[in-house]
Amino acid sequence: MCGIAGILSFGERLTDTTRIKRMTDAIAHRGPDGHGKWISPDCAVGLGHRRLSIIDLTNLAAQPMSYLDRYTITFNGEIYNYLELRKILSANGFGFKSSSDTEVLLAMYHWKGQSMMNDLDGMFSFAIWDNVSKKMFCARDRYGEKPFFFCLRKDGFYFASEMKALFAIGVKCEPDNSMIANYIFNDLVLDPNDETKTFYMSIKKLAKGTFLEIDQRGKLKVERYYSINRKESTVSPEDAALKFESLLSKAVEQTLRSDVKVGSSLSGGLDSSTLVYLINQQLKSAGKENQNTTFSARFEEVGFSESEYLDCILKDLKIENHSVYPDANLIHQELRHVFYHQEEPFLSTSILNQWSVMRLANQHGVTVLLDGQGADELLGGYPWHYKIYLMELYKSSKAAFNDELEGRSKNGFLDSSLNFADRMKVNYPSGVDFASKLKQYSFRKWGFHSLSKNALWYGLLNSDFLDLKKINLPRVEPYAACLNDVLEADHRSFVLESLLRYSDRNSMAFSREVRMPYLNYELVDYCFSLNVSNKIHHGWQKYILRKAFENKLPSKITWRKDKMGYGAPQDKWLNDPRNSDFINDNWLDLQNRGVIKKNIPLITGAIWKMLMLNSTIQFSKTDF
């Protein structure tokens, strides 16, 4: 896990050690264990690297790394199956000087070229310069765990792990008002129609599951190498659970590979508890019993505290735990620091919980943490997923729909039916027809939103700052009434990528590495091949996960009915007197900047987005 940066100049030779160092200095937090730079003899190419040592702690694994006097790489992330790939490469005559996954990656590229992407399992972003073809090859992992930002100008191609590294060498930091409007009116931090867009005009990001190739004339080719495999298979529930457990266990085994301390995040929920159980099993097999360290965020507030479940799994597995208690102080004390590392708006204060956990791991010297991110998006774990599942059954089979409702009622769940609006969505899935049939919904060209919510911001914003007549807000299509379509959309666009961004920036702010076994691509593809009844059954979401581990974890965990998520008492925090001055100062700041109309008192319902809006503007004015 590291920070990467680089420049490929097209005509005039723009690369020098000073510029590369300014880029890597801006992201020093991503790699405190070492730094390196490489400049091509003709000064056309420069690569920079900040190292967080995880695998092969020797200088042999330092980057940028060159190979066969032809290739040079700067690489961020981990190739989890590097040992298996190394074995295959060795059998084909390849030799190695280090024990790093970086050298394996270079050998794979020499052997297979672009087609190697299908062999890699991991989280990564990297750039490889080929001094023979005079081309640069850049790639990003399948689901977007590791970032890759770039700026393409007439004079060259610039890239980095974080945008601040690009701003540090003079790339203009100008907010994109269309993205700001998209956030304010659509509650989105991504553009659903262009996944390369960021909140800043000059910067693009390489889309997840894609690679690019660019030469010294600026000729750019971008290609997608991965899409979720939706080929369905027929398998019994028992066999499905066994296969699921096997794939997840393998993923945990590979993500535990490290030459530094490994721990895990633990919330008390099913996803993280399962990982902690599997980590324990792997450590026992390796003779490292009692070496599993967990980190948690706890709350005093009823409705947010999962201490009951945390203590249950800690007692059952007899593992070490360190906990932190996030509170309202984080708003005025930490928000600006968090935004500096996130660089773009986020949707709620829940991100501050994770920030606190990563700092705690740093304080206890644990460099790598396994995390349960991705299970909800894979197995239908969010509340709206169940509603979509019911809609799918209602449309395809009334008998299956009624069986589901009957089974759910036996489990003690309430509100088990579809309301009139849900049934209308099934009957009129296009959205436009639905809106014409259901007048109380406001369907605009950018999606479903309440009039009162939008009217608040229409009344607040100065048209000189955000003229909606000049902005084409992206169309947000209504979800189709098919669970696997929704889960794929969660992976492809809105939900998962934003959560992965939060995790990467929070962890790297404290020089920690987060690994996510549920995003093993074999596991993801397998789960998408299963009938949706393996994911939701008789009111139980993530059913296959529950069945696979029902005899291994306490039933209080595996058959837990409530889902808290990783939330925080945001309303309470925002209304805490300790945050009053900070919030009022931000409100006045936006008014003085001409963003919000003057003489309008602070509106409670606008506080969070107001803080994000001002944070974006303040970030754009930072002296990098």
Side-chain angles (χ1 to χ4, degrees):
M1 184 75 71
C2 306
I4 64 174
I7 302 172
L8 169 60
S9 58
F10 297 151
E12 180 184 355
R13 299 312 187 224
L14 303 169
T15 308
D16 58 54
T17 56
T18 300
R19 299 185 89 200
I20 295 297
K21 186 176 186 301
R22 285 170 61 191
M23 297 176 80
T24 55
D25 283 353
I27 53 173
H29 50 276
R30 297 187 72 93
D33 297 332
H35 59 88
K37 52 188 176 295
W38 174 86
I39 308 294
S40 63
D42 62 358
C43 294
V45 184
L47 300 178
H49 191 262
R50 292 293 313 205
R51 186 182 184 191
L52 179 63
S53 301
I54 303 290
I55 294 173
D56 189 343
L57 309 185
T58 72
N59 287 333
L60 291 173
Q63 296 185 50
M65 180 185 289
S66 295
Y67 187 73
L68 299 179
D69 294 324
R70 175 176 177 177
Y71 310 101
T72 305
I73 188 174
T74 184
F75 163 49
N76 169 31
E78 304 290 348
I79 307 300
Y80 299 138
N81 62 336
Y82 78 102
L83 292 179
E84 291 79 3
L85 295 176
R86 182 185 176 112
K87 185 177 180 180
I88 295 170
L89 288 163
S90 295
N92 282 274
F94 286 83
F96 298 91
K97 297 178 181 179
S98 74
S99 58
S100 69
D101 55 343
T102 308
E103 193 175 9
V104 170
L105 182 55
L106 281 166
M108 285 293 294
Y109 185 66
H110 178 67
W111 187 33
K112 288 193 170 185
Q114 299 172 356
S115 64
M116 75 164 179
M117 299 307 302
N118 295 318
D119 297 306
L120 304 180
D121 178 26
M123 54 177 184
F124 51 80
S125 65
F126 61 81
I128 298 175
W129 172 250
D130 184 342
N131 198 44
V132 173
S133 69
K134 301 297 182 182
K135 292 180 180 179
M136 184 175 286
F137 179 77
C138 308
R140 194 173 177 212
D141 62 67
R142 290 171 173 83
Y143 309 113
E145 293 182 66
K146 294 292 101 189
F148 189 99
F149 295 101
F150 68 91
C151 174
L152 183 61
R153 304 196 306 196
K154 290 182 180 180
D155 60 2
F157 174 76
Y158 305 77
F159 70 87
S161 294
E162 296 180 17
M163 290 182 277
K164 59 179 66 69
L166 301 173
F167 300 143
I169 56 168
V171 174
K172 193 172 182 181
C173 185
E174 179 183 357
D176 185 335
N177 281 354
S178 68
M179 289 293 288
I180 290 175
N182 188 33
Y183 173 71
I184 289 174
F185 293 100
N186 285 336
D187 294 330
L188 294 175
V189 295
L190 303 167
D191 187 320
N193 300 318
D194 183 358
E195 57 182 316
T196 70
K197 287 187 72 173
T198 72
F199 274 78
Y200 304 94
M201 296 289 289
S202 302
I203 309 295
K204 296 285 188 182
K205 59 187 174 186
L206 183 61
K208 56 191 171 294
T210 65
F211 63 76
L212 68 79
E213 187 178 73
I214 186 167
D215 64 20
Q216 287 183 291
R217 295 173 298 172
K219 184 179 179 181
L220 177 69
K221 178 184 76 172
V222 180
E223 186 173 321
R224 182 170 295 280
Y225 69 86
Y226 174 76
S227 296
I228 289 173
N229 184 358
R230 290 282 296 273
K231 184 179 179 180
E232 293 190 10
S233 62
T234 302
V235 62
S236 70
E238 294 77 18
D239 288 343
L242 287 172
K243 180 68 171 179
F244 178 89
E245 180 185 358
S246 173
L247 288 172
L248 184 58
S249 297
K250 177 185 174 184
V252 169
E253 183 270 323
Q254 290 184 337
T255 51
L256 280 173
R257 293 171 177 173
S258 171
D259 293 327
V260 295
K261 288 184 180 179
V262 180
S264 58
S265 303
L266 179 61
S267 68
L270 175 63
D271 309 337
S272 62
S273 297
T274 300
L275 292 186
V276 168
Y277 166 81
L278 288 173
I279 292 169
N280 258 21
Q281 297 300 107
Q282 297 282 351
L283 292 175
K284 285 180 181 178
S285 299
K288 299 178 180 179
E289 196 169 356
N290 300 321
Q291 292 188 28
N292 188 7
T293 303
T294 60
F295 299 91
S296 307
R298 299 180 186 243
F299 296 92
E300 300 290 349
E301 292 84 357
V302 176
F304 294 92
S305 175
E306 297 191 86
S307 291
E308 174 187 355
Y309 302 99
L310 261 171
D311 292 336
C312 174
I313 195 69
L314 292 172
K315 180 180 179 181
D316 185 72
L317 298 179
K318 299 179 177 60
I319 52 180
E320 181 183 10
N321 179 257
H322 302 282
S323 293
V324 64
Y325 290 80
D327 61 23
N329 279 313
L330 288 170
I331 299 288
H332 66 271
Q333 290 180 348
E334 302 280 6
L335 189 60
R336 284 176 178 162
H337 301 299
V338 176
F339 194 96
Y340 176 80
H341 286 278
Q342 290 291 327
E343 301 183 320
E344 297 179 287
F346 37 98
L347 294 174
S348 74
T349 54
S350 63
I351 196 172
L352 301 177
N353 307 343
Q354 189 181 59
W355 171 270
S356 302
V357 168
M358 294 304 155
R359 176 165 49 201
L360 187 66
N362 176 287
Q363 291 168 351
H364 287 274
V366 175
T367 306
V368 177
L369 288 91
L370 271 61
D371 189 89
Q373 198 68 262
D376 286 322
E377 294 79 12
L378 184 61
L379 301 174
Y382 293 117
W384 64 83
H385 288 152
Y386 187 69
K387 185 64 70 76
I388 293 293
Y389 178 63
L390 286 180
M391 291 166 68
E392 181 175 354
L393 293 180
Y394 180 76
K395 183 177 182 179
S396 62
S397 171
K398 297 300 188 294
F401 174 75
N402 291 329
D403 177 72
E404 173 62 27
L405 295 187
E406 182 179 354
R408 177 175 175 170
S409 65
K410 290 179 181 179
N411 288 330
F413 286 89
L414 303 175
D415 189 26
S416 58
S417 190
L418 298 179
N419 60 31
F420 174 68
D422 299 323
R423 295 170 194 253
M424 289 293 287
K425 288 179 184 177
V426 174
N427 293 327
Y428 301 95
S430 69
V432 175
D433 292 336
F434 170 52
S436 67
K437 298 293 182 181
L438 198 60
K439 299 297 184 183
Q440 65 263 40
Y441 275 74
S442 169
F443 182 81
R444 302 174 183 275
K445 66 178 180 179
W446 55 85
F448 290 92
H449 292 284
S450 70
L451 286 171
S452 60
K453 179 180 178 182
N454 283 337
L456 183 154
W457 282 99
Y458 284 136
L460 281 178
L461 295 174
N462 267 317
S463 60
D464 289 342
F465 166 72
L466 197 62
D467 188 352
L468 293 177
K469 294 178 182 179
K470 297 180 180 179
I471 294 176
N472 291 319
L473 286 171
R475 181 184 177 91
V476 181
E477 297 290 350
Y479 272 154
C482 171
L483 180 60
N484 271 337
D485 283 351
V486 173
L487 295 177
E488 184 174 353
D490 287 347
H491 273 76
R492 189 178 65 247
S493 54
F494 310 120
V495 179
L496 185 61
E497 186 174 357
S498 59
L499 295 176
L500 296 179
R501 185 251 287 183
Y502 305 157
S503 177
D504 173 80
R505 305 308 189 283
N506 276 344
S507 60
M508 295 311 297
F510 296 102
S511 307
R512 304 299 95 182
E513 173 173 295
V514 172
R515 300 176 176 181
M516 302 177 185
Y518 288 105
L519 294 183
N520 170 276
Y521 78 94
E522 292 181 286
L523 179 65
V524 171
D525 283 349
Y526 179 71
C527 288
F528 271 95
S529 76
L530 297 173
N531 186 283
V532 290
S533 62
N534 287 284
K535 301 168 188 177
I536 300 179
H537 181 70
H538 287 177
W540 295 108
Q541 295 176 278
K542 296 185 284 193
Y543 185 68
I544 190 173
L545 178 57
R546 298 177 191 270
K547 290 296 292 181
F549 292 93
E550 65 178 339
N551 296 320
K552 300 173 177 65
L553 292 170
S555 60
K556 187 175 186 177
I557 301 294
T558 51
W559 299 106
R560 178 181 171 183
K561 294 178 180 179
D562 64 313
K563 177 178 176 58
M564 291 185 183
Y566 205 46
Q570 178 167 302
D571 290 342
K572 179 180 178 181
W573 285 5
L574 292 176
N575 289 314
D576 191 291
R578 290 171 290 181
N579 291 318
S580 296
D581 290 343
F582 177 73
I583 290 170
N584 285 323
D585 288 346
N586 275 267
W587 187 263
L588 292 174
D589 198 16
L590 285 177
Q591 288 184 327
N592 292 332
R593 294 181 191 274
V595 175
I596 290 178
K597 296 173 183 176
K598 291 198 172 185
N599 301 319
I600 296 179
L602 180 65
I603 298 174
T604 302
I607 290 177
W608 180 253
K609 286 187 177 179
M610 178 272 296
L611 290 175
M612 289 294 97
L613 178 56
N614 203 31
S615 295
T616 305
I617 294 172
Q618 289 177 337
F619 181 76
S620 70
K621 298 182 181 301
T622 301
D623 183 7
F624 297 97

